[in-house]
Each structure stands twice: as C-alpha cells, then as structure tokens.
Amino acid sequence: MTASSHRTAQALRARSQKTEASLLRIKRVVEQLAKNGTPITVAAVARQADVSRTFLYEHTEARTIVTQATLRARGLRAETDQAQRDAIEASWRERALNTEEALKNTNAEVVNQRERIAELLGQIAGLQGEWTDADVVRITTANVALQREVRALTAERDRLNRRLVAARDNARFADKRIAALEAQITEKLTVPPT
C-alpha cells in the first residue's frame, strides 16, 4: 500500500466518522426538539446539530431522519389538536347540559313564584274587602298618633342623651378639680413650715 492510498483511506475513515458523529448529533437534536414540542425544521436542526443545511439536504440518511421526525411531530400535533378539540367540545356540551338543567329549574321556580304571588294577591284582596271606611280612618288616625309619639319619644331621647353627655363632662371636670385640690393639700402637708 502506498503512502498516498494510505492517506486516502485515513481521510475516508475520518470523513465517515465525521458523518456518523453528525448523524448522531442530528438524531439527538431531533429527539430533543420533539420532546420539547418545538417545531422540527431544517434550519433548527442544522443550527443545533452544528451541521450545514446542505448536509441535511444532500445526505440521504440525514434528510430521512429530519423528514420522519417532522412527520411524527405533525402526527402528534394533529392527535393533540384533535384531543384538545374533543375536550373543548365535551366541555361546551357539559356546559350546555348544565345550562339546560338550570333553565328548567329556573322555569319551575318562576311558576312556583307566580302561584305564590297569586295566592298572596288573593289574600290581600280578601283582607281589603273586610275593612270598612271607618276602620281605615281609625287605623290611619292611630298610625298618625303613633308616628307623633315616636317623634316625641325620639326628641326626648335626644334631649336626655345631651343631658347625659353634659353630666359626664361635669363629673370629669369635678374629678379633675378634686384631684387638683387633693394634690395641693398633700403638697401643703408634706412641706415643712418655715
């Protein structure tokens, strides 16, 4: 074997090892992108795997790795999108059923309330029929008298509250005055005569 053919064989081995290392990096990058849910594009794979785009387009195995990963990601995204759409539709269906049930309950409550109002209106009409004009005048007069009495009692309460506040103020003033006089007496008793 000549030196030239030996160098050529070494160069071919080095190139083959470099290609294998690049393919391994491409596989790892594709797996990582798929795991993260990041879109798998030629540019993203080339940048992260530190290979050229030309390598990805021209090398059959590299192109196959990227293409299959892209198709798998699209399939997963399509399945995920469909699952999300199904979940949203189920949620809306559940909300619609709940709303329908609430509407039925509300309608039943409205019917019950209307019946109760009709009963009460009937009772009011029955009560109104029993009152004579003299009863209405007597009750109205009594009501006016009671309102006057309430106003008078409120005024008396307010007057008494003002007197109570004034009495408390006077008591506080007297307490202070007594304390001051006691202090003066104590001071005169403790100071020896000169």
Side-chain angles (χ1 to χ4, degrees), residues 54 149 178 181:
T54 306
E149 189 176 340
I178 290 170
L181 290 172

Side-chain angles (χ1 to χ4, degrees), residues 89-190:
E89 185 179 330
S91 170
W92 280 106
R93 192 176 306 120
E94 182 70 24
R95 288 179 188 171
L97 292 173
N98 290 342
T99 304
E100 196 174 294
E101 183 67 26
L103 185 59
K104 286 180 187 176
N105 292 339
T106 303
N107 285 334
E109 183 63 26
V110 167
V111 168
N112 289 339
Q113 292 297 325
R114 285 182 178 163
E115 290 173 358
R116 180 73 177 131
I117 289 169
E119 288 174 15
L120 293 173
L121 287 174
Q123 289 176 4
I124 290 172
L127 290 173
Q128 285 176 341
E130 296 174 9
W131 299 103
T132 64
D133 289 341
D135 289 336
V136 171
V137 169
R138 182 178 49 78
I139 291 172
T140 304
T141 306
N143 188 29
V144 169
L146 288 172
Q147 287 177 348
R148 254 188 254 127
E149 189 176 340
V150 165
R151 281 193 296 272
L153 289 173
T154 302
E156 179 67 14
R157 183 200 63 205
D158 292 344
R159 186 182 65 78
L160 291 173
N161 275 336
R162 285 192 298 274
R163 286 183 63 188
L164 177 61
V165 168
R168 285 180 179 158
D169 287 343
N170 288 339
R172 275 194 294 272
F173 177 74
D175 285 343
K176 287 180 185 177
R177 182 71 181 134
I178 290 170
L181 290 172
E182 286 175 348
Q184 286 176 355
I185 292 171
T186 306
E187 189 176 299
K188 285 183 181 178
L189 291 176
T190 57

Side-chain angles (χ1 to χ4, degrees), residues 1 6 14 18 20 25 29 34 62 67 80 82 94 128-129 141 152 170 178 188 194:
M1 186 183 255
H6 182 63
K18 183 178 178 184
E20 288 300 318
R25 284 195 312 272
V29 166
T67 303
T80 303
Q82 184 61 42
E94 182 70 24
Q128 285 176 341
T141 306
N170 288 339
I178 290 170
K188 285 183 181 178
T194 50

Side-chain angles (χ1 to χ4, degrees), residues 30 32-41 44 48 73 77:
V30 164
Q32 187 63 37
L33 290 174
K35 183 178 177 183
N36 294 340
T38 307
I40 300 173
T41 63
Q48 292 186 24
R77 262 187 253 125

Side-chain angles (χ1 to χ4, degrees), residues 11-52:
L12 288 174
R13 270 196 308 276
R15 184 174 179 179
S16 175
Q17 288 173 350
K18 183 178 178 184
T19 301
E20 288 300 318
S22 295
L23 290 173
L24 185 59
R25 284 195 312 272
I26 291 169
K27 287 178 185 177
R28 286 183 188 149
V29 166
V30 164
E31 288 172 2
Q32 187 63 37
L33 290 174
K35 183 178 177 183
N36 294 340
T38 307
I40 300 173
T41 63
V42 172
V45 172
R47 188 177 340 100
Q48 292 186 24
D50 195 27
V51 295
S52 69

